[in-house]
Amino acid sequence: MLDNSVVTIKGIGDKFAEDLQSLNIYTVEDLLFYFPSRYDVLEIQPLSELIHEDKVSIEGRVLNAPSLSFYGRKKSRLTFNIEVENIAVKAVMFNRAFAKNQIKMGDVVTLTGKWDAHRLQITVSNYQKGSIEKTSEIQPIYSIRGDVTSFRLKKAIQQAIREQANQVEEILPPDMLSAYKIPNRMGAMKTMHFPESRVALKHARRRFTYEEFLLFQLKIQILRKRRREATVGNSQHYDAMKLETFISKFPFSLTNAQKKSLNQILSDMKSPYRMNRLLQGDVGSGKTAVAGVALYAAITAKKQGALMVPTEILAEQHFQSLTEMFGDLARVELLTGSIKGKRRKEILADVENHQVHILVGTHALIQDDVHFETLGLVVVDEQHRFGVEQRRALSNKGLHPDVLFMTATPIPRTLAITAFGDMDVSVIDEMPAGRKEIETYWTKANTFDRVLNFIAKHVEAGEQAYIICPLIEESDKLDIQDAVDLYNQLEAYYPPSIQVGLMHGRLHSTEKEEIMKEFAANKVQILVSTTVVEVGVNVPNATIMVIYDAERFGLSQLHQLRGRVGRGDKQSYCILIADPKSENGKERMRIMTETNNGFKLSEEDLKLRGPGDFFGTKQSGLPDFKVADMIHDYRALETARNDAQEIIEFNLLEEDPKYEPLRTLLENEGVFDTVLD
């Protein structure tokens, strides 16, 4: 049986079984499905088709006896020439002194290694004497650690296939296999380990890519369905006429993207199920206006609303904007840690008695003494800044309130499907008309004097600037400008009439709040900061964003920082000071200067950095797929998502016998026993 220990496989003793545990291989099934991490393809190609610096394989006759030289301790260099297509190619081998006695003049050898097209030279990583077939031979390469060797692991997998491969059962329905032209599970598993051809390997990979995505999406859709069904009776009967009148009084027209997102949110609020929706849109795209209308819809449905944000200054700004938006239509109150004593008690009493319609605040909203009479809608801004427990505590304060999460971090479609699959996602992907695009420039540190003069000119005209640094204090390890040092330099550089402020993550939250308030009030004209300024405040007078050592940031973070300016009607600028050494770093700078579209940038960032780095590996919560790749296999991801939705919507796991193997597998993994939030 596949769930038996690996020691049941011939040749695997207790010691080797213990070694295999370092690879998370415990059962026969773990061993059979421990797929190679990559494949080396030994394929002889003509010299004219070889690409500079690629890993290649060539075959030729040795023209001279190898020359061996030693350098350093136990280091050697072996060189010889081989004739390939009547051309002499130089072969270099490092630390293979023993090969001098194996390779003789006149031998035919097959060499694999890094190709240098300029020197007609190959740096050899593997070689074998004699000719191989011109067709490709595919070598599986496994990730190994500890005492497990590649040879022994391959041998164990081979033996497991001989003994237990026929126990691998198909879990996908037959019509799915034929519709997508994918091989059966047992055949695909064998091919993944010992591929006969590139085509066979491609189809085996396609099969497991789809399988992984489908299983993951089914888990998400099952969870989503159970959550929805757990909150039946949540319909909010809002007044559509009042909403229309409310929107008509805005000093601007909603964009089509805002209207679409708003309709999706209102539809959720009207439904009997609890809303669990993510609203994502670039900085300045108008998420707050959409959230404001949704909050007003809750008020007309005789419910209360709450808006939770990560910082006090952001809470104050939202409080002011909502107060202006609602006027006499609703009572908006602010609750933060700074509000204490009698005033706090009054607000809490009025919230409990439904005299407050909308409560805006920080995590103070989830304290035990905050009680709503009828909480209908919770809006959480910059949702990734709050822990799951904090968000859940606020959600649980009312009678299953609808929850709308907002983020200004544009999330690529593939990541949204994967990381937020249990949420509905609304996207505001167009900017309001007439908004000036931020001009972005890339320069090097030797032009910093010109940048400082540029800032001075704009500050003298009444504007303000941010200068962002990656570090707080000087580091021996990294040659990058630090915030404290730069602050001291600017203090000395600018006249006393220009106030320079300093903000970083080591300051107490009250100190950070105070500095941001001074900056917002234009008491500080230039704010030197680390990335703690990334999320939050609206300072319309800030028109310049300078980012030092910009190559150290990802595209999404650079875009978030850039979004701190351009909030008013003045032309704004973002200046990237960077000297990237890698092509990847140069590409990031180039893309930043070419587009202000956050969604386009987020897609590029995902390609350049990968999903773990995009979210931050620790809190990404992204699944660790063995075969599937969210970036390259996004079409398969979308297909699997659509199939999973259909399977759950039509209850096929329960009602259609051909889906029984899938249901059994999910049951064995405990999917139906998951405790809901």
Side-chain angles (χ1 to χ4, degrees):
M1 293 293 289
L2 296 184
D3 56 358
N4 285 344
S5 167
V6 287
V7 293
T8 58
I9 300 295
K10 187 180 176 184
I12 299 181
D14 291 340
K15 172 67 173 74
F16 188 40
E18 193 179 316
D19 292 342
L20 288 172
Q21 288 178 15
S22 68
L23 303 174
N24 289 322
I25 296 172
Y26 297 88
T27 66
V28 174
E29 185 170 27
D30 293 338
L31 185 61
L32 289 175
F33 288 88
Y34 190 79
F35 294 143
S37 56
R38 62 184 178 85
Y39 300 85
D40 271 354
V41 182
L42 195 64
E43 183 176 27
I44 306 301
Q45 291 174 285
L47 291 181
S48 59
E49 292 180 15
L50 301 185
I51 297 170
H52 181 59
E53 294 194 333
D54 259 13
K55 187 175 184 179
V56 303
S57 294
I58 59 174
E59 180 190 297
R61 188 172 300 280
V62 180
L63 292 172
N64 59 290
S67 167
L68 179 64
S69 58
F70 289 91
Y71 62 99
R73 187 183 153 94
K74 294 185 180 177
K75 291 183 178 178
S76 67
R77 187 173 188 263
L78 189 73
T79 59
F80 56 93
N81 294 303
I82 66 168
E83 183 189 347
V84 184
E85 301 168 25
N86 295 320
I87 294 171
V89 172
K90 186 176 183 179
V92 180
M93 278 190 213
F94 290 100
N95 307 321
R96 306 273 183 91
F98 58 84
K100 178 174 171 57
N101 298 323
Q102 294 180 349
I103 297 171
K104 310 287 185 191
M105 184 174 154
D107 284 349
V108 171
V109 290
T110 302
L111 308 177
T112 299
K114 188 175 180 181
W115 177 244
D116 186 331
H118 307 314
R119 299 192 212 173
L120 286 180
Q121 176 177 305
I122 184 169
T123 303
V124 181
S125 53
N126 289 301
Y127 75 95
Q128 66 182 66
K129 291 182 71 171
S131 182
I132 65 159
E133 292 180 24
K134 292 289 189 281
T135 53
S136 58
E137 184 183 324
I138 304 169
Q139 294 292 336
I141 309 296
Y142 294 88
S143 292
I144 52 173
R145 64 169 71 96
D147 294 332
V148 180
T149 64
S150 189
F151 174 76
R152 198 155 180 213
L153 178 62
K154 274 187 197 176
K155 203 172 170 186
I157 290 169
Q158 248 172 341
Q159 187 61 32
I161 288 174
R162 273 196 290 270
E163 291 180 26
Q164 298 284 345
N166 60 352
Q167 296 291 320
V168 175
E169 295 178 357
E170 185 54 70
I171 59 169
L172 300 179
D175 53 356
M176 212 174 247
L177 297 182
S178 58
Y180 296 138
K181 296 183 173 60
I182 50 180
N184 67 48
R185 202 165 194 244
M186 181 173 71
M189 180 271 294
K190 289 179 179 177
T191 300
M192 288 295 289
H193 292 295
F194 304 107
E196 293 175 5
S197 70
R198 287 205 222 191
V199 173
L201 178 59
K202 176 185 165 187
H203 290 305
R205 285 181 62 87
R206 272 201 320 117
R207 189 244 143 78
F208 285 113
T209 293
Y210 175 76
E211 179 183 306
E212 285 186 333
F213 282 152
L214 181 69
L215 287 169
F216 178 70
Q217 287 298 319
L218 280 170
K219 290 171 189 174
I220 281 178
Q221 298 300 331
I222 289 165
L223 182 64
R224 183 173 170 176
K225 185 185 180 192
R226 290 176 66 216
R227 275 195 182 136
R228 280 168 66 87
E229 290 175 352
T231 57
V232 174
N234 199 42
S235 181
Q236 298 199 52
H237 302 288
Y238 59 82
D239 189 322
M241 292 290 288
K242 282 185 179 177
L243 242 58
E244 278 185 33
T245 306
F246 181 65
I247 294 167
S248 69
K249 290 181 179 173
F250 284 0
F252 52 83
S253 298
L254 294 180
T255 63
N256 289 330
Q258 282 175 306
K259 288 175 187 172
K260 184 181 175 184
S261 295
L262 182 57
N263 288 336
Q264 290 168 339
I265 292 163
L266 293 175
S267 175
D268 280 359
M269 291 174 71
K270 197 186 286 183
S271 85
Y273 303 112
R274 184 177 183 179
M275 173 165 71
N276 186 36
R277 184 171 286 276
L278 176 71
L279 175 63
Q280 57 164 326
D282 240 331
V283 171
S285 61
K287 295 184 299 297
T288 307
V290 171
V293 177
L295 286 165
Y296 186 57
I299 292 166
T300 68
K302 306 291 189 289
K303 301 282 181 77
Q304 291 166 288
L307 172 59
M308 186 163 79
V309 296
T311 64
E312 288 203 7
I313 189 162
L314 197 53
E316 286 171 14
Q317 290 194 341
H318 274 304
F319 169 65
Q320 286 165 3
S321 61
L322 289 178
T323 302
E324 287 170 20
M325 187 186 289
F326 286 106
D328 298 331
L329 293 173
R331 180 178 164 192
V332 183
E333 281 294 353
L334 176 69
L335 188 68
T336 64
S338 301
I339 297 169
K340 296 182 172 72
K342 186 182 174 187
R343 178 70 185 132
R344 180 181 171 85
K345 285 180 183 173
E346 285 172 359
I347 292 171
L348 292 179
D350 289 349
V351 168
E352 195 166 0
N353 296 328
H354 203 152
Q355 289 174 30
V356 171
H357 300 105
I358 298 169
L359 188 61
V360 181
T362 55
H363 61 277
L365 293 187
I366 57 175
Q367 302 299 317
D368 290 340
D369 60 349
V370 182
H371 302 286
F372 293 86
E373 191 201 35
T374 52
L375 182 57
L377 175 64
V378 174
V379 180
V380 183
D381 195 17
E382 291 305 336
Q383 58 92 24
H384 60 281
R385 294 284 293 274
F386 293 101
V388 174
E389 292 300 326
Q390 289 174 302
R391 300 203 301 261
R392 188 183 299 155
L394 185 56
S395 298
N396 291 340
K397 278 195 171 290
L399 183 65
H400 306 305
D402 287 322
V403 185
L404 178 67
F405 300 107
M406 300 200 301
T407 181
T409 306
I411 299 156
R413 184 169 174 75
T414 49
L415 280 190
I417 289 172
T418 312
F420 302 110
D422 61 333
M423 288 184 181
D424 294 298
V425 180
S426 292
V427 177
I428 303 179
D429 53 6
E430 65 179 301
M431 300 300 274
R435 188 179 164 94
K436 287 181 182 171
E437 227 175 56
I438 300 164
E439 292 180 14
T440 304
Y441 301 96
W442 167 28
T443 186
K444 294 189 178 178
N446 58 9
T447 65
F448 195 45
D449 280 353
R450 285 170 58 194
V451 173
L452 294 181
N453 290 333
F454 180 77
I455 292 170
K457 191 175 82 175
H458 283 267
V459 167
E460 282 160 10
E463 297 169 26
Q464 290 167 272
Y466 294 97
I467 302 182
I468 305 297
C469 287
L471 286 186
I472 299 168
E473 292 165 356
E474 192 174 349
S475 163
D476 293 333
K477 295 177 186 173
L478 298 167
D479 179 25
I480 51 180
Q481 188 78 35
D482 70 279
V484 176
D485 180 39
L486 184 59
Y487 166 73
N488 291 330
Q489 282 182 38
L490 297 187
E491 279 257 273
Y493 182 88
Y494 286 117
S497 57
I498 295 178
Q499 283 295 306
V500 182
L502 174 65
M503 188 165 78
H504 53 72
R506 287 192 195 162
L507 294 177
H508 191 272
S509 57
T510 52
E511 293 175 290
K512 283 190 270 192
E513 296 274 344
E514 194 53 44
I515 290 166
M516 279 314 302
K517 281 178 182 174
E518 287 183 354
F519 188 62
N522 203 359
K523 290 177 183 174
V524 167
Q525 286 75 47
I526 299 171
L527 182 62
V528 177
S529 174
T530 56
T531 54
V532 290
V533 79
E534 183 183 336
V535 170
V537 292
N538 187 18
V539 184
N541 198 45
T543 59
I544 299 171
M545 168 61 71
V546 177
I547 305 172
Y548 224 103
D549 297 305
E551 71 271 23
R552 294 190 52 76
F553 299 101
L555 279 174
S556 289
Q557 198 174 21
L558 288 172
H559 183 62
Q560 284 290 296
L561 290 166
R562 174 167 62 183
R564 297 298 108 218
V565 297
R567 300 299 189 94
D569 53 7
K570 297 172 186 170
Q571 179 61 55
S572 290
Y573 307 89
C574 177
I575 301 167
L576 308 170
I577 298 176
D579 189 10
K581 300 293 184 279
S582 70
E583 286 305 313
N584 188 309
K586 290 171 186 171
E587 180 71 0
R588 285 209 303 276
M589 297 305 107
R590 189 186 60 74
I591 293 167
M592 278 295 293
T593 61
E594 288 180 0
T595 182
N596 272 273
N597 184 316
F599 288 94
K600 186 178 175 186
L601 281 168
S602 73
E603 294 285 355
E604 294 295 335
D605 203 17
L606 183 61
K607 288 176 193 169
L608 291 171
R609 292 201 294 158
D613 286 336
F614 186 92
F615 275 128
T617 310
K618 287 179 185 170
Q619 94 299 339
S620 69
L622 293 174
D624 188 15
F625 296 118
K626 289 181 186 175
V627 180
D629 182 313
M630 286 187 304
I631 303 166
H632 298 111
D633 303 322
Y634 69 93
R635 285 195 180 90
L637 173 59
E638 296 209 328
T639 301
R641 198 265 304 261
N642 294 338
D643 289 347
Q645 282 178 336
E646 190 176 305
I647 290 167
I648 300 306
E649 187 181 341
F650 294 107
N651 209 18
L652 299 179
L653 289 177
E654 300 274 359
E655 297 177 6
D656 192 332
K658 67 187 179 194
Y659 286 94
E660 195 173 325
L662 259 182
R663 178 179 173 81
T664 304
L665 189 146
L666 291 165
E667 277 177 344
N668 291 340
E669 290 189 10
V671 174
F672 298 99
D673 305 325
T674 307
V675 178
L676 296 177
D677 287 353

